[in-house]
Amino acid sequence: MPLSACDEFPRDPDGTLQSARGGTIEVGLIEASPWVAIEDGVPQGLEVELAAAFAASLDAEVEWIRGTPEEVLEALEARRIHLVVGGLTQDSAWGDRVALTRPYLETALVAVAPGSGGPERVEGNTVAVSPGTVEAAAVRAAGGVPVAPDMAGSTASLEVKPS
């Protein structure tokens, strides 16, 4: 179906964007470093910066709403808040209940260590990555065991392509 047939897509049935201009945008936070972190009570991270820039483009203030992922996503679904940030991916269980943005970042992880002939897959293998990073999460998601580089000992080369 051609997009030209769509009238005012995507729709904003409640006029939320217009009402947010010059007002306040309520943003739900899901802690997921490096996308969202709370340090000394202050939201930080890439998606926090993106949400703040979006609010600034509307001349709006941001009210940060903390809660569990379920709490903030339920609030979004019920239209009690405007936006949720926190590293959500296209395969999120909430993808069929709330509108996700298009991916703005795709990553590939390459883990390299001295030696050759390493494993061809991550599953079941130990991989040296910095803790608390997107790469560490990708290793876990692929069935590997992320360890800090100083604890890895002898590792082999492998590439992780998160889905």
Side-chain angles (χ1 to χ4, degrees):
M1 174 176 2
L3 285 179
S4 61
C6 297
D7 178 32
E8 299 178 46
F9 183 80
R11 293 184 188 262
D12 181 6
D14 297 331
T16 306
L17 182 62
Q18 197 58 32
S19 67
R21 289 187 194 281
T24 301
I25 295 177
E26 293 89 8
V27 179
L29 299 168
I30 297 173
E31 290 191 62
S33 184
W35 315 113
V36 173
I38 310 296
E39 294 183 22
D40 297 325
V42 178
Q44 298 181 13
L46 176 63
E47 291 186 4
V48 170
E49 292 172 19
L50 289 171
F54 175 64
S57 77
L58 299 174
D59 194 29
E61 298 293 321
V62 178
E63 179 181 346
W64 302 108
I65 310 294
R66 291 180 67 179
T68 67
E70 292 76 22
E71 288 169 340
V72 296
L73 287 164
E74 285 174 4
L76 179 67
E77 183 180 36
R79 298 183 180 161
R80 292 190 308 269
I81 62 176
H82 299 109
L83 179 67
V84 171
V85 295
L88 294 171
T89 62
Q90 295 292 33
D91 60 351
S92 166
W94 283 84
D96 61 344
R97 295 174 61 186
V98 298
L100 298 174
T101 63
R102 292 184 194 127
Y104 63 89
L105 175 67
E106 292 185 24
T107 63
L109 168 66
V110 178
V112 180
S116 61
E120 294 180 7
R121 61 184 175 72
V122 174
E123 186 177 6
N125 287 295
T126 300
V127 180
V129 294
S130 296
T133 62
V134 174
E135 293 81 10
V139 167
R140 271 192 296 284
V145 179
V147 296
D150 60 339
M151 299 179 65
S154 175
T155 60
S157 302
L158 32 110
E159 182 175 348
V160 180
K161 292 185 179 176
S163 54

